[in-house]
Amino acid sequence: MKCLNRRQFLGQSAAVLGAIATASTPFASETSAGKRSCTDKVVLGRSGVKVTRLGCGTGTNGGAIQRELGQKEFTRMIRHAYDNGIRFFDTADSYDGMHEMLAEALKGIDRSTYAIQTKMRLHDGASPMKDTDRFRKELNSDYFDSFLLHCMQAPDWTTSQHKLMDELEEAKQKKIVLSHGASCHGLKALKDMPGCEWLDVALLRVNHDGTHMDGPEGTWAEPGSHDEAVAEIKKIHTSGTGVVGMKLIGNGDFTKPERREASIRYVMSLDCVDASVIGFKSTAEIDEAMRLMDTYLNV
């Protein structure tokens, strides 16, 4: 397995895989009895981190859509999500200014009641320890529930990025981050994920028809290889990694209600996606996603 030469996770892995083999629903919701809901708390794989099944993303078109709302309207939207039970918020350093906007939107709310996932981009001199210090100030948070390497593209990133991975493990030991992982662009990087014991959480592109999903070249505009990508997502989840789905609305391309419904229906049918984040631009979009998720979680 990848990463094992750098981590002492064999015992933990065996325990997780044993639990997967015997559980009827991997990493089931805290409220698994009866109807399932998008606001149920679910566990992200071996990490033990709990998030609501539905989370709010802040990076549509690099965060441009959310920034254009302005702070007042963005805060109103985030508070609407929170007041209706959504307690998971996804952001990134590359979504310029969204750390600060999200911090302002959540200002005054008990930090223990919600989860934050953020991501660091690769750059010369990149250092998770330095970045986490800055991110904590920007997001007004002492810790991050999930901290990801952003947009991995190399076919061997689980070995080539070992220095950053080691630093994130150190941050985890210090409880600055509660779980670490990565997002990726492209099938090559996606195929490097299954079996990596370091990977607590994977943020992965998934929808019903492959729009902006991972393809062979890893470029933004290429058609995604839907079936091949979903097969890899299943492998990643089976290995004990928590999977958070993104691009459920095709990066906003699904402007027709029937396409949004088809995508959410499909993703809710998968047993390899623990939670999902959607970049909203209105309270009406939040209400629609919640309604659709609650409907198709129970068919």
Side-chain angles (χ1 to χ4, degrees):
M1 283 188 178
K2 308 179 194 71
C3 309
L4 290 181
N5 60 328
R6 301 193 304 278
R7 300 290 180 274
Q8 301 299 316
F9 285 139
L10 281 171
Q12 183 184 46
S13 175
V16 169
L17 292 174
I20 293 171
T22 58
S24 59
T25 304
F27 312 119
S29 164
E30 284 183 317
T31 56
S32 56
K35 286 189 175 182
R36 297 189 297 166
S37 169
C38 64
T39 58
D40 289 341
K41 291 287 186 70
V42 294
V43 181
L44 295 179
R46 68 174 68 85
S47 73
V49 169
K50 296 177 181 178
V51 300
T52 49
R53 277 198 179 93
L54 177 59
C56 286
T58 62
T60 310
N61 293 341
I65 299 300
Q66 285 73 37
R67 285 192 299 274
E68 288 170 1
L69 294 174
Q71 185 65 61
K72 183 178 180 180
E73 185 59 25
F74 178 73
T75 297
R76 189 176 79 87
M77 185 178 70
I78 292 297
R79 292 298 181 113
H80 179 80
Y82 183 91
D83 290 343
N84 282 278
I86 297 173
R87 304 298 171 84
F88 180 29
F89 303 96
D90 173 83
T91 187
D93 187 32
S94 61
Y95 308 157
D96 296 338
M98 292 313 302
H99 276 178
E100 291 87 350
M101 287 186 71
L102 183 59
E104 180 63 26
L106 294 169
K107 187 175 181 179
I109 299 178
D110 184 348
R111 175 63 181 88
S112 68
T113 64
Y114 60 85
I116 292 179
Q117 175 172 272
T118 191
K119 305 178 280 293
M120 67 168 287
R121 49 187 162 188
L122 301 187
H123 57 84
D124 291 341
S127 167
M129 294 305 288
K130 291 180 181 178
D131 281 355
T132 53
D133 284 343
R134 174 167 61 85
F135 292 6
R136 285 189 291 172
K137 292 177 182 177
E138 292 172 351
L139 278 157
N140 191 30
S141 178
D142 292 333
Y143 66 96
F144 302 105
D145 301 86
S146 175
F147 193 102
L148 310 181
L149 298 177
H150 198 180
C151 193
M152 297 297 98
Q153 293 179 291
D156 64 345
W157 73 265
T158 63
T159 53
S160 63
Q161 298 302 328
H162 66 90
K163 290 183 179 179
L164 299 183
M165 295 162 70
D166 287 342
E167 277 198 48
L168 277 175
E169 177 62 20
E170 181 181 350
K172 183 178 175 181
Q173 295 304 316
K174 294 179 178 180
K175 301 189 184 304
I176 297 170
V177 304
L178 304 187
S179 64
H180 44 51
S183 66
C184 75
H185 280 196
L187 277 173
K188 294 175 184 177
L190 186 68
K191 290 181 176 181
D192 202 37
M193 286 184 165
C196 178
E197 293 297 325
W198 175 88
L199 195 68
D200 297 326
V201 178
L203 178 63
L204 305 175
R205 301 186 287 181
V206 61
N207 53 58
H208 69 304
D209 68 3
T211 300
H212 292 303
M213 282 181 62
D214 295 303
E217 301 303 319
T219 58
W220 179 244
E222 72 174 328
S225 300
H226 180 273
D227 292 348
E228 195 171 358
V230 171
E232 294 301 320
I233 292 172
K234 290 179 178 179
K235 293 177 188 176
I236 292 163
H237 188 262
T238 298
S239 70
T241 295
V243 172
V244 179
M246 60 173 170
K247 299 293 181 283
L248 273 70
I249 312 301
N251 197 56
D253 286 3
F254 299 164
T255 56
K256 294 183 177 180
E258 55 266 30
R259 290 191 77 191
R260 296 193 295 273
E261 182 168 1
S263 180
I264 290 176
R265 178 174 65 241
Y266 173 75
V267 177
M268 294 306 99
S269 74
L270 297 174
D271 61 3
C272 57
V273 177
D274 299 300
S276 301
V277 294
I278 297 175
F280 300 110
K281 62 179 183 296
S282 71
T283 57
E285 290 184 351
I286 294 172
D287 293 342
E288 178 190 70
M290 294 184 71
R291 175 179 59 80
L292 290 173
M293 285 184 69
D294 284 352
T295 296
Y296 290 111
L297 279 165
N298 295 287
V299 295

mmCIF file with all atom_site columns, all heavy atoms in Angstrom, residues 89-113:
data_model
loop_
_atom_site.group_PDB
_atom_site.id
_atom_site.type_symbol
_atom_site.label_atom_id
_atom_site.label_alt_id
_atom_site.label_comp_id
_atom_site.label_asym_id
_atom_site.label_entity_id
_atom_site.label_seq_id
_atom_site.pdbx_PDB_ins_code
_atom_site.Cartn_x
_atom_site.Cartn_y
_atom_site.Cartn_z
_atom_site.occupancy
_atom_site.B_iso_or_equiv
_atom_site.pdbx_formal_charge
_atom_site.auth_seq_id
_atom_site.auth_comp_id
_atom_site.auth_asym_id
_atom_site.auth_atom_id
_atom_site.pdbx_PDB_model_num
ATOM 1   N N   . PHE A 1 89  ? -18.763 23.474 6.410  1.00 0.00 ? 89  PHE A N   1
ATOM 2   C CA  . PHE A 1 89  ? -18.424 24.558 5.504  1.00 0.00 ? 89  PHE A CA  1
ATOM 3   C C   . PHE A 1 89  ? -17.061 24.308 4.885  1.00 0.00 ? 89  PHE A C   1
ATOM 4   O O   . PHE A 1 89  ? -16.080 24.059 5.596  1.00 0.00 ? 89  PHE A O   1
ATOM 5   C CB  . PHE A 1 89  ? -18.463 25.894 6.249  1.00 0.00 ? 89  PHE A CB  1
ATOM 6   C CG  . PHE A 1 89  ? -19.793 26.168 6.894  1.00 0.00 ? 89  PHE A CG  1
ATOM 7   C CD1 . PHE A 1 89  ? -20.004 25.852 8.229  1.00 0.00 ? 89  PHE A CD1 1
ATOM 8   C CD2 . PHE A 1 89  ? -20.843 26.682 6.153  1.00 0.00 ? 89  PHE A CD2 1
ATOM 9   C CE1 . PHE A 1 89  ? -21.246 26.065 8.827  1.00 0.00 ? 89  PHE A CE1 1
ATOM 10  C CE2 . PHE A 1 89  ? -22.087 26.897 6.741  1.00 0.00 ? 89  PHE A CE2 1
ATOM 11  C CZ  . PHE A 1 89  ? -22.291 26.590 8.070  1.00 0.00 ? 89  PHE A CZ  1
ATOM 12  N N   . ASP A 1 90  ? -17.029 24.361 3.556  1.00 0.00 ? 90  ASP A N   1
ATOM 13  C CA  . ASP A 1 90  ? -15.802 24.072 2.799  1.00 0.00 ? 90  ASP A CA  1
ATOM 14  C C   . ASP A 1 90  ? -15.279 25.349 2.153  1.00 0.00 ? 90  ASP A C   1
ATOM 15  O O   . ASP A 1 90  ? -16.032 26.111 1.540  1.00 0.00 ? 90  ASP A O   1
ATOM 16  C CB  . ASP A 1 90  ? -16.118 23.043 1.708  1.00 0.00 ? 90  ASP A CB  1
ATOM 17  C CG  . ASP A 1 90  ? -14.938 22.831 0.771  1.00 0.00 ? 90  ASP A CG  1
ATOM 18  O OD1 . ASP A 1 90  ? -14.046 22.031 1.126  1.00 0.00 ? 90  ASP A OD1 1
ATOM 19  O OD2 . ASP A 1 90  ? -14.904 23.460 -0.304 1.00 0.00 ? 90  ASP A OD2 1
ATOM 20  N N   . THR A 1 91  ? -13.957 25.569 2.275  1.00 0.00 ? 91  THR A N   1
ATOM 21  C CA  . THR A 1 91  ? -13.342 26.749 1.701  1.00 0.00 ? 91  THR A CA  1
ATOM 22  C C   . THR A 1 91  ? -11.913 26.412 1.285  1.00 0.00 ? 91  THR A C   1
ATOM 23  O O   . THR A 1 91  ? -11.514 25.253 1.316  1.00 0.00 ? 91  THR A O   1
ATOM 24  C CB  . THR A 1 91  ? -13.409 27.933 2.699  1.00 0.00 ? 91  THR A CB  1
ATOM 25  O OG1 . THR A 1 91  ? -12.948 29.117 2.062  1.00 0.00 ? 91  THR A OG1 1
ATOM 26  C CG2 . THR A 1 91  ? -12.600 27.656 3.958  1.00 0.00 ? 91  THR A CG2 1
ATOM 27  N N   . ALA A 1 92  ? -11.145 27.413 0.859  1.00 0.00 ? 92  ALA A N   1
ATOM 28  C CA  . ALA A 1 92  ? -9.769  27.167 0.420  1.00 0.00 ? 92  ALA A CA  1
ATOM 29  C C   . ALA A 1 92  ? -9.015  28.488 0.333  1.00 0.00 ? 92  ALA A C   1
ATOM 30  O O   . ALA A 1 92  ? -9.617  29.553 0.121  1.00 0.00 ? 92  ALA A O   1
ATOM 31  C CB  . ALA A 1 92  ? -9.738  26.456 -0.939 1.00 0.00 ? 92  ALA A CB  1
ATOM 32  N N   . ASP A 1 93  ? -7.705  28.398 0.442  1.00 0.00 ? 93  ASP A N   1
ATOM 33  C CA  . ASP A 1 93  ? -6.854  29.569 0.317  1.00 0.00 ? 93  ASP A CA  1
ATOM 34  C C   . ASP A 1 93  ? -6.969  30.186 -1.074 1.00 0.00 ? 93  ASP A C   1
ATOM 35  O O   . ASP A 1 93  ? -6.901  31.409 -1.232 1.00 0.00 ? 93  ASP A O   1
ATOM 36  C CB  . ASP A 1 93  ? -5.403  29.163 0.596  1.00 0.00 ? 93  ASP A CB  1
ATOM 37  C CG  . ASP A 1 93  ? -4.451  30.348 0.665  1.00 0.00 ? 93  ASP A CG  1
ATOM 38  O OD1 . ASP A 1 93  ? -4.887  31.430 1.098  1.00 0.00 ? 93  ASP A OD1 1
ATOM 39  O OD2 . ASP A 1 93  ? -3.277  30.189 0.288  1.00 0.00 ? 93  ASP A OD2 1
ATOM 40  N N   . SER A 1 94  ? -7.164  29.350 -2.085 1.00 0.00 ? 94  SER A N   1
ATOM 41  C CA  . SER A 1 94  ? -7.217  29.851 -3.459 1.00 0.00 ? 94  SER A CA  1
ATOM 42  C C   . SER A 1 94  ? -8.543  30.535 -3.797 1.00 0.00 ? 94  SER A C   1
ATOM 43  O O   . SER A 1 94  ? -8.662  31.146 -4.860 1.00 0.00 ? 94  SER A O   1
ATOM 44  C CB  . SER A 1 94  ? -6.956  28.714 -4.455 1.00 0.00 ? 94  SER A CB  1
ATOM 45  O OG  . SER A 1 94  ? -7.936  27.711 -4.332 1.00 0.00 ? 94  SER A OG  1
ATOM 46  N N   . TYR A 1 95  ? -9.527  30.432 -2.912 1.00 0.00 ? 95  TYR A N   1
ATOM 47  C CA  . TYR A 1 95  ? -10.786 31.156 -3.115 1.00 0.00 ? 95  TYR A CA  1
ATOM 48  C C   . TYR A 1 95  ? -10.617 32.549 -2.502 1.00 0.00 ? 95  TYR A C   1
ATOM 49  O O   . TYR A 1 95  ? -11.100 32.822 -1.400 1.00 0.00 ? 95  TYR A O   1
ATOM 50  C CB  . TYR A 1 95  ? -11.965 30.443 -2.450 1.00 0.00 ? 95  TYR A CB  1
ATOM 51  C CG  . TYR A 1 95  ? -12.132 28.984 -2.802 1.00 0.00 ? 95  TYR A CG  1
ATOM 52  C CD1 . TYR A 1 95  ? -12.831 28.135 -1.945 1.00 0.00 ? 95  TYR A CD1 1
ATOM 53  C CD2 . TYR A 1 95  ? -11.622 28.442 -3.975 1.00 0.00 ? 95  TYR A CD2 1
ATOM 54  C CE1 . TYR A 1 95  ? -13.015 26.801 -2.247 1.00 0.00 ? 95  TYR A CE1 1
ATOM 55  C CE2 . TYR A 1 95  ? -11.798 27.103 -4.284 1.00 0.00 ? 95  TYR A CE2 1
ATOM 56  C CZ  . TYR A 1 95  ? -12.488 26.287 -3.415 1.00 0.00 ? 95  TYR A CZ  1
ATOM 57  O OH  . TYR A 1 95  ? -12.661 24.955 -3.700 1.00 0.00 ? 95  TYR A OH  1
ATOM 58  N N   . ASP A 1 96  ? -9.925  33.396 -3.161 1.00 0.00 ? 96  ASP A N   1
ATOM 59  C CA  . ASP A 1 96  ? -9.431  34.659 -2.601 1.00 0.00 ? 96  ASP A CA  1
ATOM 60  C C   . ASP A 1 96  ? -10.475 35.392 -1.765 1.00 0.00 ? 96  ASP A C   1
ATOM 61  O O   . ASP A 1 96  ? -11.546 35.762 -2.256 1.00 0.00 ? 96  ASP A O   1
ATOM 62  C CB  . ASP A 1 96  ? -8.950  35.570 -3.727 1.00 0.00 ? 96  ASP A CB  1
ATOM 63  C CG  . ASP A 1 96  ? -7.752  35.002 -4.473 1.00 0.00 ? 96  ASP A CG  1
ATOM 64  O OD1 . ASP A 1 96  ? -7.060  34.152 -3.893 1.00 0.00 ? 96  ASP A OD1 1
ATOM 65  O OD2 . ASP A 1 96  ? -7.530  35.396 -5.631 1.00 0.00 ? 96  ASP A OD2 1
ATOM 66  N N   . GLY A 1 97  ? -10.144 35.577 -0.497 1.00 0.00 ? 97  GLY A N   1
ATOM 67  C CA  . GLY A 1 97  ? -10.995 36.331 0.407  1.00 0.00 ? 97  GLY A CA  1
ATOM 68  C C   . GLY A 1 97  ? -12.090 35.537 1.083  1.00 0.00 ? 97  GLY A C   1
ATOM 69  O O   . GLY A 1 97  ? -12.754 36.059 1.995  1.00 0.00 ? 97  GLY A O   1
ATOM 70  N N   . MET A 1 98  ? -12.273 34.285 0.686  1.00 0.00 ? 98  MET A N   1
ATOM 71  C CA  . MET A 1 98  ? -13.383 33.527 1.256  1.00 0.00 ? 98  MET A CA  1
ATOM 72  C C   . MET A 1 98  ? -13.126 33.066 2.683  1.00 0.00 ? 98  MET A C   1
ATOM 73  O O   . MET A 1 98  ? -14.081 32.867 3.440  1.00 0.00 ? 98  MET A O   1
ATOM 74  C CB  . MET A 1 98  ? -13.743 32.339 0.363  1.00 0.00 ? 98  MET A CB  1
ATOM 75  C CG  . MET A 1 98  ? -14.347 32.720 -0.983 1.00 0.00 ? 98  MET A CG  1
ATOM 76  S SD  . MET A 1 98  ? -15.668 33.973 -0.889 1.00 0.00 ? 98  MET A SD  1
ATOM 77  C CE  . MET A 1 98  ? -16.848 33.196 0.208  1.00 0.00 ? 98  MET A CE  1
ATOM 78  N N   . HIS A 1 99  ? -11.860 32.886 3.066  1.00 0.00 ? 99  HIS A N   1
ATOM 79  C CA  . HIS A 1 99  ? -11.581 32.591 4.474  1.00 0.00 ? 99  HIS A CA  1
ATOM 80  C C   . HIS A 1 99  ? -12.184 33.682 5.356  1.00 0.00 ? 99  HIS A C   1
ATOM 81  O O   . HIS A 1 99  ? -12.901 33.413 6.325  1.00 0.00 ? 99  HIS A O   1
ATOM 82  C CB  . HIS A 1 99  ? -10.073 32.516 4.715  1.00 0.00 ? 99  HIS A CB  1
ATOM 83  C CG  . HIS A 1 99  ? -9.476  31.190 4.396  1.00 0.00 ? 99  HIS A CG  1
ATOM 84  N ND1 . HIS A 1 99  ? -8.127  30.943 4.514  1.00 0.00 ? 99  HIS A ND1 1
ATOM 85  C CD2 . HIS A 1 99  ? -10.017 30.029 3.964  1.00 0.00 ? 99  HIS A CD2 1
ATOM 86  C CE1 . HIS A 1 99  ? -7.862  29.700 4.175  1.00 0.00 ? 99  HIS A CE1 1
ATOM 87  N NE2 . HIS A 1 99  ? -9.000  29.122 3.826  1.00 0.00 ? 99  HIS A NE2 1
ATOM 88  N N   . GLU A 1 100 ? -11.864 34.920 5.011  1.00 0.00 ? 100 GLU A N   1
ATOM 89  C CA  . GLU A 1 100 ? -12.317 36.040 5.830  1.00 0.00 ? 100 GLU A CA  1
ATOM 90  C C   . GLU A 1 100 ? -13.833 36.217 5.763  1.00 0.00 ? 100 GLU A C   1
ATOM 91  O O   . GLU A 1 100 ? -14.481 36.512 6.780  1.00 0.00 ? 100 GLU A O   1
ATOM 92  C CB  . GLU A 1 100 ? -11.622 37.327 5.381  1.00 0.00 ? 100 GLU A CB  1
ATOM 93  C CG  . GLU A 1 100 ? -10.129 37.380 5.676  1.00 0.00 ? 100 GLU A CG  1
ATOM 94  C CD  . GLU A 1 100 ? -9.269  36.745 4.570  1.00 0.00 ? 100 GLU A CD  1
ATOM 95  O OE1 . GLU A 1 100 ? -9.839  36.093 3.663  1.00 0.00 ? 100 GLU A OE1 1
ATOM 96  O OE2 . GLU A 1 100 ? -8.042  36.914 4.627  1.00 0.00 ? 100 GLU A OE2 1
ATOM 97  N N   . MET A 1 101 ? -14.413 36.038 4.575  1.00 0.00 ? 101 MET A N   1
ATOM 98  C CA  . MET A 1 101 ? -15.870 36.180 4.458  1.00 0.00 ? 101 MET A CA  1
ATOM 99  C C   . MET A 1 101 ? -16.601 35.102 5.244  1.00 0.00 ? 101 MET A C   1
ATOM 100 O O   . MET A 1 101 ? -17.634 35.374 5.884  1.00 0.00 ? 101 MET A O   1
ATOM 101 C CB  . MET A 1 101 ? -16.290 36.146 2.986  1.00 0.00 ? 101 MET A CB  1
ATOM 102 C CG  . MET A 1 101 ? -15.945 37.401 2.213  1.00 0.00 ? 101 MET A CG  1
ATOM 103 S SD  . MET A 1 101 ? -16.614 37.415 0.511  1.00 0.00 ? 101 MET A SD  1
ATOM 104 C CE  . MET A 1 101 ? -18.386 37.641 0.820  1.00 0.00 ? 101 MET A CE  1
ATOM 105 N N   . LEU A 1 102 ? -16.079 33.875 5.215  1.00 0.00 ? 102 LEU A N   1
ATOM 106 C CA  . LEU A 1 102 ? -16.715 32.804 5.977  1.00 0.00 ? 102 LEU A CA  1
ATOM 107 C C   . LEU A 1 102 ? -16.579 33.049 7.473  1.00 0.00 ? 102 LEU A C   1
ATOM 108 O O   . LEU A 1 102 ? -17.530 32.829 8.236  1.00 0.00 ? 102 LEU A O   1
ATOM 109 C CB  . LEU A 1 102 ? -16.099 31.451 5.605  1.00 0.00 ? 102 LEU A CB  1
ATOM 110 C CG  . LEU A 1 102 ? -16.725 30.223 6.271  1.00 0.00 ? 102 LEU A CG  1
ATOM 111 C CD1 . LEU A 1 102 ? -18.212 30.108 5.946  1.00 0.00 ? 102 LEU A CD1 1
ATOM 112 C CD2 . LEU A 1 102 ? -15.992 28.945 5.850  1.00 0.00 ? 102 LEU A CD2 1
ATOM 113 N N   . ALA A 1 103 ? -15.416 33.520 7.898  1.00 0.00 ? 103 ALA A N   1
ATOM 114 C CA  . ALA A 1 103 ? -15.221 33.821 9.321  1.00 0.00 ? 103 ALA A CA  1
ATOM 115 C C   . ALA A 1 103 ? -16.212 34.876 9.793  1.00 0.00 ? 103 ALA A C   1
ATOM 116 O O   . ALA A 1 103 ? -16.800 34.762 10.877 1.00 0.00 ? 103 ALA A O   1
ATOM 117 C CB  . ALA A 1 103 ? -13.789 34.294 9.567  1.00 0.00 ? 103 ALA A CB  1
ATOM 118 N N   . GLU A 1 104 ? -16.421 35.893 8.991  1.00 0.00 ? 104 GLU A N   1
ATOM 119 C CA  . GLU A 1 104 ? -17.378 36.945 9.352  1.00 0.00 ? 104 GLU A CA  1
ATOM 120 C C   . GLU A 1 104 ? -18.794 36.388 9.393  1.00 0.00 ? 104 GLU A C   1
ATOM 121 O O   . GLU A 1 104 ? -19.578 36.735 10.289 1.00 0.00 ? 104 GLU A O   1
ATOM 122 C CB  . GLU A 1 104 ? -17.287 38.089 8.345  1.00 0.00 ? 104 GLU A CB  1
ATOM 123 C CG  . GLU A 1 104 ? -18.233 39.246 8.614  1.00 0.00 ? 104 GLU A CG  1
ATOM 124 C CD  . GLU A 1 104 ? -17.976 39.957 9.940  1.00 0.00 ? 104 GLU A CD  1
ATOM 125 O OE1 . GLU A 1 104 ? -16.820 39.918 10.426 1.00 0.00 ? 104 GLU A OE1 1
ATOM 126 O OE2 . GLU A 1 104 ? -18.939 40.549 10.485 1.00 0.00 ? 104 GLU A OE2 1
ATOM 127 N N   . ALA A 1 105 ? -19.129 35.523 8.449  1.00 0.00 ? 105 ALA A N   1
ATOM 128 C CA  . ALA A 1 105 ? -20.472 34.954 8.403  1.00 0.00 ? 105 ALA A CA  1
ATOM 129 C C   . ALA A 1 105 ? -20.763 34.086 9.625  1.00 0.00 ? 105 ALA A C   1
ATOM 130 O O   . ALA A 1 105 ? -21.914 34.006 10.075 1.00 0.00 ? 105 ALA A O   1
ATOM 131 C CB  . ALA A 1 105 ? -20.652 34.142 7.125  1.00 0.00 ? 105 ALA A CB  1
ATOM 132 N N   . LEU A 1 106 ? -19.737 33.434 10.157 1.00 0.00 ? 106 LEU A N   1
ATOM 133 C CA  . LEU A 1 106 ? -19.910 32.531 11.296 1.00 0.00 ? 106 LEU A CA  1
ATOM 134 C C   . LEU A 1 106 ? -19.595 33.201 12.631 1.00 0.00 ? 106 LEU A C   1
ATOM 135 O O   . LEU A 1 106 ? -19.654 32.555 13.683 1.00 0.00 ? 106 LEU A O   1
ATOM 136 C CB  . LEU A 1 106 ? -19.006 31.305 11.119 1.00 0.00 ? 106 LEU A CB  1
ATOM 137 C CG  . LEU A 1 106 ? -19.355 30.378 9.942  1.00 0.00 ? 106 LEU A CG  1
ATOM 138 C CD1 . LEU A 1 106 ? -18.242 29.363 9.719  1.00 0.00 ? 106 LEU A CD1 1
ATOM 139 C CD2 . LEU A 1 106 ? -20.694 29.679 10.164 1.00 0.00 ? 106 LEU A CD2 1
ATOM 140 N N   . LYS A 1 107 ? -19.269 34.457 12.601 1.00 0.00 ? 107 LYS A N   1
ATOM 141 C CA  . LYS A 1 107 ? -18.863 35.181 13.803 1.00 0.00 ? 107 LYS A CA  1
ATOM 142 C C   . LYS A 1 107 ? -19.942 35.104 14.878 1.00 0.00 ? 107 LYS A C   1
ATOM 143 O O   . LYS A 1 107 ? -21.125 35.327 14.624 1.00 0.00 ? 107 LYS A O   1
ATOM 144 C CB  . LYS A 1 107 ? -18.586 36.647 13.454 1.00 0.00 ? 107 LYS A CB  1
ATOM 145 C CG  . LYS A 1 107 ? -17.986 37.459 14.590 1.00 0.00 ? 107 LYS A CG  1
ATOM 146 C CD  . LYS A 1 107 ? -17.652 38.864 14.092 1.00 0.00 ? 107 LYS A CD  1
ATOM 147 C CE  . LYS A 1 107 ? -17.022 39.707 15.198 1.00 0.00 ? 107 LYS A CE  1
ATOM 148 N NZ  . LYS A 1 107 ? -16.687 41.075 14.676 1.00 0.00 ? 107 LYS A NZ  1
ATOM 149 N N   . GLY A 1 108 ? -19.509 34.740 16.087 1.00 0.00 ? 108 GLY A N   1
ATOM 150 C CA  . GLY A 1 108 ? -20.426 34.672 17.217 1.00 0.00 ? 108 GLY A CA  1
ATOM 151 C C   . GLY A 1 108 ? -21.082 33.321 17.416 1.00 0.00 ? 108 GLY A C   1
ATOM 152 O O   . GLY A 1 108 ? -21.729 33.101 18.448 1.00 0.00 ? 108 GLY A O   1
ATOM 153 N N   . ILE A 1 109 ? -20.916 32.404 16.465 1.00 0.00 ? 109 ILE A N   1
ATOM 154 C CA  . ILE A 1 109 ? -21.489 31.056 16.601 1.00 0.00 ? 109 ILE A CA  1
ATOM 155 C C   . ILE A 1 109 ? -20.467 30.152 17.286 1.00 0.00 ? 109 ILE A C   1
ATOM 156 O O   . ILE A 1 109 ? -19.274 30.201 16.990 1.00 0.00 ? 109 ILE A O   1
ATOM 157 C CB  . ILE A 1 109 ? -21.862 30.473 15.225 1.00 0.00 ? 109 ILE A CB  1
ATOM 158 C CG1 . ILE A 1 109 ? -22.920 31.340 14.542 1.00 0.00 ? 109 ILE A CG1 1
ATOM 159 C CG2 . ILE A 1 109 ? -22.366 29.043 15.369 1.00 0.00 ? 109 ILE A CG2 1
ATOM 160 C CD1 . ILE A 1 109 ? -23.301 30.863 13.154 1.00 0.00 ? 109 ILE A CD1 1
ATOM 161 N N   . ASP A 1 110 ? -20.931 29.338 18.198 1.00 0.00 ? 110 ASP A N   1
ATOM 162 C CA  . ASP A 1 110 ? -20.070 28.403 18.931 1.00 0.00 ? 110 ASP A CA  1
ATOM 163 C C   . ASP A 1 110 ? -19.303 27.529 17.939 1.00 0.00 ? 110 ASP A C   1
ATOM 164 O O   . ASP A 1 110 ? -19.903 26.775 17.176 1.00 0.00 ? 110 ASP A O   1
ATOM 165 C CB  . ASP A 1 110 ? -20.941 27.544 19.845 1.00 0.00 ? 110 ASP A CB  1
ATOM 166 C CG  . ASP A 1 110 ? -20.138 26.585 20.726 1.00 0.00 ? 110 ASP A CG  1
ATOM 167 O OD1 . ASP A 1 110 ? -18.924 26.410 20.488 1.00 0.00 ? 110 ASP A OD1 1
ATOM 168 O OD2 . ASP A 1 110 ? -20.749 26.001 21.637 1.00 0.00 ? 110 ASP A OD2 1
ATOM 169 N N   . ARG A 1 111 ? -17.972 27.631 17.964 1.00 0.00 ? 111 ARG A N   1
ATOM 170 C CA  . ARG A 1 111 ? -17.134 26.903 17.009 1.00 0.00 ? 111 ARG A CA  1
ATOM 171 C C   . ARG A 1 111 ? -17.330 25.398 17.097 1.00 0.00 ? 111 ARG A C   1
ATOM 172 O O   . ARG A 1 111 ? -17.183 24.687 16.089 1.00 0.00 ? 111 ARG A O   1
ATOM 173 C CB  . ARG A 1 111 ? -15.655 27.265 17.234 1.00 0.00 ? 111 ARG A CB  1
ATOM 174 C CG  . ARG A 1 111 ? -14.649 26.494 16.380 1.00 0.00 ? 111 ARG A CG  1
ATOM 175 C CD  . ARG A 1 111 ? -14.830 26.777 14.903 1.00 0.00 ? 111 ARG A CD  1
ATOM 176 N NE  . ARG A 1 111 ? -13.876 26.023 14.098 1.00 0.00 ? 111 ARG A NE  1
ATOM 177 C CZ  . ARG A 1 111 ? -14.087 24.798 13.643 1.00 0.00 ? 111 ARG A CZ  1
ATOM 178 N NH1 . ARG A 1 111 ? -15.233 24.168 13.912 1.00 0.00 ? 111 ARG A NH1 1
ATOM 179 N NH2 . ARG A 1 111 ? -13.180 24.183 12.914 1.00 0.00 ? 111 ARG A NH2 1
ATOM 180 N N   . SER A 1 112 ? -17.667 24.888 18.255 1.00 0.00 ? 112 SER A N   1
ATOM 181 C CA  . SER A 1 112 ? -17.803 23.438 18.409 1.00 0.00 ? 112 SER A CA  1
ATOM 182 C C   . SER A 1 112 ? -19.035 22.887 17.703 1.00 0.00 ? 112 SER A C   1
ATOM 183 O O   . SER A 1 112 ? -19.178 21.668 17.574 1.00 0.00 ? 112 SER A O   1
ATOM 184 C CB  . SER A 1 112 ? -17.849 23.060 19.891 1.00 0.00 ? 112 SER A CB  1
ATOM 185 O OG  . SER A 1 112 ? -19.049 23.533 20.502 1.00 0.00 ? 112 SER A OG  1
ATOM 186 N N   . THR A 1 113 ? -19.908 23.772 17.213 1.00 0.00 ? 113 THR A N   1
ATOM 187 C CA  . THR A 1 113 ? -21.154 23.297 16.609 1.00 0.00 ? 113 THR A CA  1
ATOM 188 C C   . THR A 1 113 ? -21.066 23.105 15.104 1.00 0.00 ? 113 THR A C   1
ATOM 189 O O   . THR A 1 113 ? -22.048 22.672 14.487 1.00 0.00 ? 113 THR A O   1
ATOM 190 C CB  . THR A 1 113 ? -22.309 24.280 16.911 1.00 0.00 ? 113 THR A CB  1
ATOM 191 O OG1 . THR A 1 113 ? -22.026 25.548 16.294 1.00 0.00 ? 113 THR A OG1 1
ATOM 192 C CG2 . THR A 1 113 ? -22.494 24.459 18.407 1.00 0.00 ? 113 THR A CG2 1
#
